[in-house]
Amino acid sequence: MNETITQICDFLHAINLPFSLTSIENETFLLGVNLNQGALQIDIDKVKYAGDILHEAGHIAVCEPIYRAQLQGNVYKNGLRNGRQKQAMHGEEIAAIAWSVAAVKRLNLPMKTVFHDDGYRGASHSLINAFDNGALLGQPLLDVWEMTSSVYGFPTMKKWIREYRWIKELP
């Protein structure tokens, strides 16, 4: 296992994000990484980009807790099949991106770890520039879910796993 993947797995273990190192035989959205019933599966022999692990972990971390166990394969398509609201999943997608940025900053890894050249439909460089220049891309959601530090702000996190629905608990 390469050093970056080891560092990421140690981080996931430290924040209690469920994952396992396993062989993945089925086709996955990102090579070597799969979501299965709210847990991350990592096939270290197939992972092409270590940052993909962080992005998929971000989906688990920012998912509404009541839906986390339903995370399976393609988060969006599976979410629609399970009756999730589109806008909630869109918000979680952008929050997962911000979460992965906070993670690479915490791990002192380069932004290119998550925003590699083959990711984000060619927008990786633009995303790096946006985050480097303080653009608000998902951070407000991490704030409202009380995941970021109220003292230091993004990218400093006080909680790595979301505990609330949209705004505290809804009736």
Side-chain angles (χ1 to χ4, degrees):
M1 184 162 39
N2 81 34
E3 186 177 328
T4 301
I5 292 175
T6 299
Q7 188 177 5
I8 290 170
C9 289
D10 289 347
F11 169 72
L12 298 178
H13 178 74
I15 65 169
N16 294 316
L17 192 134
F19 77 95
S20 63
L21 302 178
T22 187
S23 177
I24 299 172
E25 300 305 322
N26 56 311
E27 187 176 325
T28 58
F29 188 71
L30 295 172
L31 191 61
V33 186
N34 188 46
L35 293 173
N36 184 20
Q37 298 176 335
L40 185 62
Q41 296 176 322
I42 305 165
D43 187 332
I44 58 172
D45 294 325
K46 293 180 182 169
V47 170
K48 187 169 182 181
Y49 299 104
D52 290 347
I53 297 169
L54 285 175
H55 180 78
E56 291 302 287
H59 280 292
I60 295 169
V62 303
C63 183
E64 284 190 74
I66 63 171
Y67 296 113
R68 197 169 287 136
Q70 295 177 3
L71 292 176
Q72 187 82 20
N74 183 309
V75 173
Y76 189 75
K77 288 180 182 177
N78 189 55
L80 290 176
R81 280 194 293 271
N82 286 317
R84 297 222 43 218
Q85 296 176 328
K86 288 180 183 181
Q87 66 269 31
M89 291 187 296
H90 290 299
E92 289 173 7
E93 176 65 35
I94 195 74
I97 293 170
W99 185 95
S100 66
V101 168
V104 296
K105 299 264 187 199
R106 170 71 187 267
L107 296 170
N108 294 314
L109 296 171
M111 293 283 275
K112 277 273 197 195
T113 304
V114 172
F115 300 123
H116 52 79
D117 290 335
D118 290 338
Y120 298 94
R121 298 183 179 146
S124 293
H125 184 69
S126 296
L127 286 165
I128 291 170
N129 284 338
F131 279 101
D132 283 349
N133 291 302
L136 296 176
L137 298 169
Q139 303 94 315
L141 290 171
L142 299 177
D143 288 342
V144 81
W145 298 329
E146 299 180 7
M147 295 174 73
T148 55
S149 167
S150 58
V151 175
Y152 300 106
F154 183 84
T156 304
M157 303 289 281
K158 70 177 182 181
K159 295 178 190 170
W160 286 97
I161 309 289
R162 179 178 170 187
E163 297 174 354
Y164 301 117
R165 290 196 71 194
W166 279 100
I167 300 176
K168 301 286 185 183
E169 291 299 321
L170 300 175

